[in-house]
Amino acid sequence: QVQLVESGGGLVQAGGSLRLSCVASRRAFSTYAMGWFRQAPGKEREFVAAISWLGTTYYVDSVKGRFTISRDNAKNTMYLQMNSLKPEDTAVYYCAADRDSFISTTEADFNSWGQGTQVTVSS
């Protein structure tokens, strides 16, 4: 398994921006599919965005055009740039690694998870 550490969460007003980072402990990161998920209070954890080792990306419809997922394999780091934030984006955001798939949006496919970082968007 790979260890993942997220950072970059915080409190921001609606319309603002944040950039989340996820640092992986292994150089094999460059071969993993990666993803961001989030869990709002009282709700199930949901898929947000995913990126393959080649850079192919998927997004949930609610963040398309506002969020951008990217990765820097030389730094073992994945990012989530979040713009035009809305109160409904408030959640704990988790990064996850999938060593077996090319890319996935399915929570069960991911083998390693970070501890999460809180994002709060005020109205």
Side-chain angles (χ1 to χ4, degrees):
Q1 283 190 338
V2 60
Q3 292 186 333
L4 303 171
V5 179
E6 303 101 332
S7 62
L11 173 64
V12 64
Q13 289 188 331
S17 298
L18 284 173
R19 187 175 81 155
L20 305 183
S21 299
C22 172
V23 179
S25 62
R26 296 184 62 184
R27 295 181 66 182
F29 165 86
S30 64
T31 65
Y32 288 8
M34 299 294 295
W36 288 98
F37 291 77
R38 66 186 179 186
Q39 187 168 22
K43 294 188 176 181
E44 299 279 323
R45 188 156 58 184
E46 67 169 354
F47 167 76
V48 176
I51 187 167
S52 74
W53 60 274
L54 278 178
T56 304
T57 58
Y58 289 160
Y59 297 93
V60 67
D61 285 348
S62 60
V63 307
K64 285 180 180 177
R66 300 189 298 122
F67 290 11
T68 303
I69 188 172
S70 62
R71 65 192 297 163
D72 184 340
N73 289 336
K75 296 182 178 180
N76 289 356
T77 303
M78 176 179 66
Y79 304 98
L80 186 67
Q81 178 66 44
M82 306 186 294
N83 298 329
S84 303
L85 282 161
K86 304 175 181 180
E88 51 264 43
D89 294 318
T90 295
V92 177
Y93 284 70
Y94 298 90
C95 71
D98 175 2
R99 66 174 182 265
D100 299 316
S101 307
F102 173 72
I103 191 169
S104 177
T105 64
T106 305
E107 185 173 339
D109 288 340
F110 289 83
N111 319 105
S112 300
W113 293 82
Q115 81 289 349
T117 186
Q118 177 71 47
V119 172
T120 303
V121 185
S122 63
S123 57

